[in-house]
Amino acid sequence: MTLVVTGGAGYVGSVCARHLLDAGHDVVVVDDLSTGHRDAVPEGARLVVGDVAEVADEVLGAGGVDGVIHCAARSLVGESTEQPAKYWHGNVVATVTLLDALRRHRVPRLVFSSSAATYGEPETSPIPEDAPTRPTNTYGATKLAVDLAIGNYAAASGGELGAVSLRYFNVAGAHGGGTGAPALGERHTVETHLIPLVLQVALGQRDEIAIFGDDWPTADGTCVRDYIHIDDLAEAHLLALDLLARGDAGVHEAGGHLVCNLGNGQGFSVLEVIEACRRVTGHPIPARVAPRRAGDPGVLVASSARARDLMGWTPTHTDLDAIVGDAWAFARSRT
């Protein structure tokens, strides 16, 4: 198939593009390079530099596109609260423009890289897809708005558009490259994710790591979060495309929009992550306890039962030390 990956110069998008190429697909990457990296676009993919909203018609109108994996998004929670317009335009308006182009050019498949931030502070854990969606920040609200828009467009398409939204929490690790290809990993200008932040301490790029609260109702008092290895996440995107190609689970019938949560199968606490980083790096990694952050739930773990049952997705990179080890190898390769 010929597939377009929006945001394909970013962390998730570049690894999805690499997996697609390895599976024998033709890949077009669309990225404005505002947060992505040109050298992260895998060899063999064609890069179109531009904002999704501005180049969607050009790319899809060329014809022959069998599907889109939509990873392009603004994703900083704090920034989303301070600059909501940037997120409503960059995430929602841009995606509606993409959906209009999909409809005009009769592209039949869409996989959206959504977020479990749509659920806000969940009532149950692991979180099922029918959990109430009550996002607590602008970022989560825009992801939910996009999911709703996709559902509306798919329902109105008369079966011409099938779509899958994948909701997940923390992505970690790195794609090792293989066959001489360069490794692909996490490198954000503004880093907010726990594992790369802890590894920055080991690299001497920061003095310590902050633990936001040690009195949560968890086994060790620190927050518990879900971590998915980037290769498992990319594989889920490919399996979603396969599901759409088969037309299973009603995704090409009226209302053909499937939402699937993705989870590792277990959560890891902040202390467990820090200890894993200490083991892997051999660095003591100083940590200090800071006050809780407003809006931080104690436990966020997603259920992946639906993804397993409908897509056959089962994460294989579930060992925390191995996940950290991949991230550490990539981090050291960049210094």
Side-chain angles (χ1 to χ4, degrees), residues 5-224:
V5 181
T6 71
Y11 180 35
V12 174
S14 65
V15 179
C16 284
R18 179 73 271 163
H19 278 244
L20 290 170
L21 289 164
D22 289 345
H25 299 294
D26 295 322
V27 177
V28 179
V29 164
V30 175
D31 202 298
D32 65 4
L33 302 180
S34 60
T35 57
H37 306 273
R38 188 183 293 270
D39 64 352
V41 177
E43 184 177 353
R46 179 168 71 90
L47 173 62
V48 176
V49 178
D51 184 275
V52 172
E54 296 174 357
V55 302
D57 269 317
E58 170 195 337
V59 174
L60 302 182
V65 175
D66 298 296
V68 173
I69 292 181
H70 184 33
C71 298
R74 306 287 183 187
S75 61
L76 296 175
V77 170
E79 182 185 64
S80 78
T81 302
E82 297 165 358
Q83 302 180 51
K86 183 177 182 178
Y87 281 69
W88 285 100
H89 283 277
N91 291 355
V92 180
V93 174
T95 303
V96 170
T97 303
L98 173 64
L99 286 166
D100 287 337
L102 288 168
R103 182 176 58 185
R104 274 192 296 276
H105 302 295
R106 307 175 81 89
V107 176
R109 303 173 189 92
L110 172 66
V111 177
F112 175 50
S113 204
S114 187
S115 171
T118 53
Y119 297 111
E121 299 185 26
E123 299 172 352
T124 59
S125 181
I127 306 167
E129 287 82 2
D130 60 0
T133 47
R134 296 182 294 227
T136 57
N137 53 66
T138 304
Y139 167 68
T142 62
K143 285 290 193 176
L144 178 58
V146 170
D147 279 339
L148 293 171
I150 290 171
N152 291 161
Y153 272 72
S157 73
E160 289 190 357
L161 176 65
V164 176
S165 288
L166 301 176
R167 292 177 176 170
Y168 53 92
F169 286 113
N170 300 288
V171 190
H175 175 75
T179 62
L184 299 170
E186 196 166 7
R187 43 179 172 139
H188 301 123
T189 302
V190 179
E191 189 55 75
T192 61
H193 297 158
L194 179 60
I195 290 176
L197 287 174
V198 177
L199 295 179
Q200 285 177 9
V201 179
L203 288 169
Q205 297 170 351
R206 62 176 59 231
D207 295 332
E208 61 185 9
I209 190 70
I211 299 172
F212 296 102
D214 62 352
D215 57 350
W216 297 93
T218 61
D220 62 23
T222 64
C223 289
V224 171

Side-chain angles (χ1 to χ4, degrees), residues 248-272:
D248 291 354
V251 289
H252 266 305
E253 299 169 4
H257 175 221
L258 176 69
V259 174
C260 282
N261 292 347
L262 303 176
N264 185 307
Q266 59 185 317
F268 299 107
S269 73
V270 173
L271 278 180
E272 287 177 316

